């Protein structure tokens, strides 16, 4: 059995710990700062797999430095530390890297960033993981808080996104399969409004995405995932 350590206790990290009981460290619990690897590297000893759930995820944030330091520089420092060790990195990315790419994009298609610092820095982090590490699992997906917390939901944003409980189950199964490489992870296609209606009967349809950097098409090819998880 592999020893696994989760970094972070946000929405995804908390769900993974709840479902698996795997060890975890975080800023709130252990005082680590992902931007400074010396603050947490001693915690990594003895583990076979490091599962990085730490990210700056505010897609509307125009703060380049915060996105850069966490989504890229923090990943670079972690990768540099793991390179040459026997530890495997499980890195969570985002379907936003496919924005302005081809529809129904597969892992073999070239991802193009979505015009915000979140998508751009996550894409840079993806590239560094693939460039430097021999053994990694890079998961591209989007998970949402359950129940849906907003009053309105877009009817024209379509993708493989789902609630964190559903996405986490797929991610956990993929991790336990001991596969490596890049995987798109998601469920059946739906609009954000369709997803919202599952948990909020009062949600209203929003017909236009108000921010030009928010992608409409988040459709991914998940056939590779289906080939592993039957």
């Amino acid at each position: 059995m592999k020893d696994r350590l989760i970094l972070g206790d946000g929405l995804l990290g908390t769900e993974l710990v709840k479902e698996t009981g795997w060890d975890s460290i975080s800023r709130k619990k252990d005082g680590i700062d992902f931007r400074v690897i010396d603050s947490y590297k001693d915690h990594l000893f003895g583990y076979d797999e490091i599962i990085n759930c730490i990210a700056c995820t505010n897609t509307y944030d125009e703060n380049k430095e915060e996105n850069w330091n966490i989504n890229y520089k923090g990943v670079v420092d972690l990768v540099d530390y793991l390179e040459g060790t026997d530890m495997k990195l499980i890195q969570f990315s985002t379907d936003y890297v496919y924005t302005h790419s081809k529809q129904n994009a597969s892992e073999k298609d070239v991802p193009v960033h979505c015009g915000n610092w979140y998508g751009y820095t996550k894409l840079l982090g993806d590239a560094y993981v693939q460039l430097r590490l021999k053994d990694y699992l890079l998961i591209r997906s989007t998970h949402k808080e359950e129940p849906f917390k907003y009053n309105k939901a877009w009817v024209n944003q379509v993708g493989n996104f789902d609630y964190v409980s559903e996405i986490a189950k797929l991610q956990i199964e993929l991790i336990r399969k001991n596969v490596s490489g890049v995987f798109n992870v998601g469920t059946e296609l739906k609009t954000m409004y369709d997803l919202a209606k599952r948990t909020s009967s009062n949600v209203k349809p929003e017909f236009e995405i108000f921010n030009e950097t928010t992608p409409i098409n988040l459709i991914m090819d998940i056939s590779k995932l289906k080939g592993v998880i039957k």
Side-chain angles (χ1 to χ4, degrees):
M1 180 179 295
K2 294 185 179 295
D3 290 322
R4 300 180 172 102
L5 177 68
I6 296 171
L7 308 183
D9 61 359
L11 185 61
L12 179 59
T14 299
E15 185 69 23
L16 293 179
V17 171
K18 183 179 77 172
E19 294 292 332
T20 65
W22 294 336
D23 292 346
S24 69
I25 58 174
S26 69
R27 177 181 57 82
K28 287 184 287 186
K29 184 166 70 71
D30 305 281
I32 73 169
D33 185 346
F34 190 63
R35 298 167 298 181
V36 183
I37 194 167
D38 286 344
S39 74
Y40 70 91
K41 66 181 182 181
D42 291 345
H43 291 276
L44 307 182
F45 293 137
Y47 290 96
D48 301 301
E49 296 181 349
I50 306 302
I51 303 171
N52 180 30
C53 298
I54 298 174
C56 180
T57 59
N58 184 352
T59 57
Y60 308 120
D61 188 1
E62 296 182 0
N63 186 333
K64 173 185 176 181
E65 185 175 358
E66 186 72 5
N67 281 277
W68 187 271
N69 286 335
I70 296 176
N71 295 341
Y72 181 57
K73 181 181 179 298
V75 173
V76 167
D77 291 341
L78 176 58
V79 167
D80 287 349
Y81 181 81
L82 296 179
E83 188 177 14
T85 72
D86 294 328
M87 289 183 278
K88 178 180 181 178
L89 175 64
I90 289 86
Q91 172 71 19
F92 292 101
S93 183
T94 172
D95 50 12
Y96 269 49
V97 301
Y98 292 119
T99 306
H100 304 316
S101 181
K102 62 181 293 186
Q103 185 168 327
N104 200 34
S106 77
E107 292 83 356
K108 295 180 181 180
D109 293 313
V110 177
V112 181
H113 71 79
C114 55
N116 59 47
W117 289 116
Y118 166 70
Y120 179 57
T121 53
K122 291 296 287 184
L123 179 59
L124 291 176
D126 278 19
Y128 200 80
V129 170
Q130 295 175 77
L131 179 67
R132 298 300 295 269
L133 293 182
K134 294 180 179 179
D135 192 13
Y136 62 85
L137 173 59
L138 184 61
I139 296 175
R140 292 172 175 163
S141 62
T142 282
H143 54 272
K144 294 296 181 180
E145 186 176 355
E146 185 177 1
F148 195 81
K149 64 179 182 178
Y150 301 105
N151 296 324
K152 295 182 178 181
W154 293 311
V155 299
N156 61 334
Q157 186 179 55
V158 182
N160 307 93
F161 39 72
D162 212 317
Y163 290 115
V164 65
S165 59
E166 297 301 318
I167 295 295
K169 289 175 184 175
L170 296 173
Q171 294 170 342
I172 291 166
E173 188 170 355
L174 202 56
I175 292 169
R176 285 176 167 158
K177 291 284 187 181
N178 198 33
V179 296
S180 297
V182 182
F183 278 81
N184 296 333
V185 173
T187 55
E188 78 288 345
L189 288 179
K190 66 192 75 64
T191 69
M192 189 60 69
Y193 179 62
D194 291 334
L195 180 67
K197 286 193 298 181
R198 292 183 191 172
T199 58
S200 175
S201 59
N202 296 322
V203 67
K204 304 297 183 184
E206 180 66 63
F207 292 95
E208 291 188 17
I209 292 181
F210 64 89
N211 190 307
E212 63 180 10
T213 64
T214 300
I216 295 175
N217 171 28
L218 288 170
I219 300 172
M220 299 186 297
D221 181 346
I222 57 172
S223 58
K224 185 178 179 180
L225 172 72
K226 291 180 177 179
V228 174
I229 299 176
K230 305 298 184 180

